[in-house]
Amino acid sequence: MSEPTSPPATRQPRWGWRLIGFLALMALALITSTAQGYHTVGTLTCTAVGLLGALWSTIRGLGTMGRVMDELQGGRGVKRR
């Protein structure tokens, strides 16, 4: 007779690591274009993707942090829909 087990806890997304990855992509593209002396479609695309990805990760990470802080305070924070 086994006792019922609770489902495993879901892991929070690692937004900080994603942010660092996007910033590294952007830095690599900028270093490459500087070494070449000109921009290519690839370096411009990587720069744009890195910048937009870093912005997205920051916004999502701050939202996750707000929800975690609300849970730690017993749900006394601002009610979100």
Side-chain angles (χ1 to χ4, degrees), residues 9-52:
T10 58
R11 198 167 129 187
Q12 293 290 330
R14 307 285 186 187
W15 294 111
W17 287 110
R18 291 179 187 179
L19 173 66
I20 291 171
F22 282 121
L23 290 177
L25 175 68
M26 188 174 72
L28 180 65
L30 291 176
I31 290 169
T32 302
S33 65
T34 302
Q36 290 177 341
Y38 57 90
H39 290 283
T40 62
V41 173
T43 57
L44 287 175
T45 302
C46 286
T47 302
V49 168
L51 184 62
L52 293 173

Side-chain angles (χ1 to χ4, degrees), residues 43-66:
T43 57
L44 287 175
T45 302
C46 286
T47 302
V49 168
L51 184 62
L52 293 173
L55 179 65
W56 174 72
S57 296
T58 300
I59 292 169
R60 294 294 304 258
L62 289 174
T64 300
M65 185 178 70

Side-chain angles (χ1 to χ4, degrees), residues 61-78:
L62 289 174
T64 300
M65 185 178 70
R67 283 190 296 277
V68 168
M69 293 303 290
D70 283 347
E71 289 174 8
L72 290 175
Q73 294 174 356
R76 294 180 305 205
V78 176

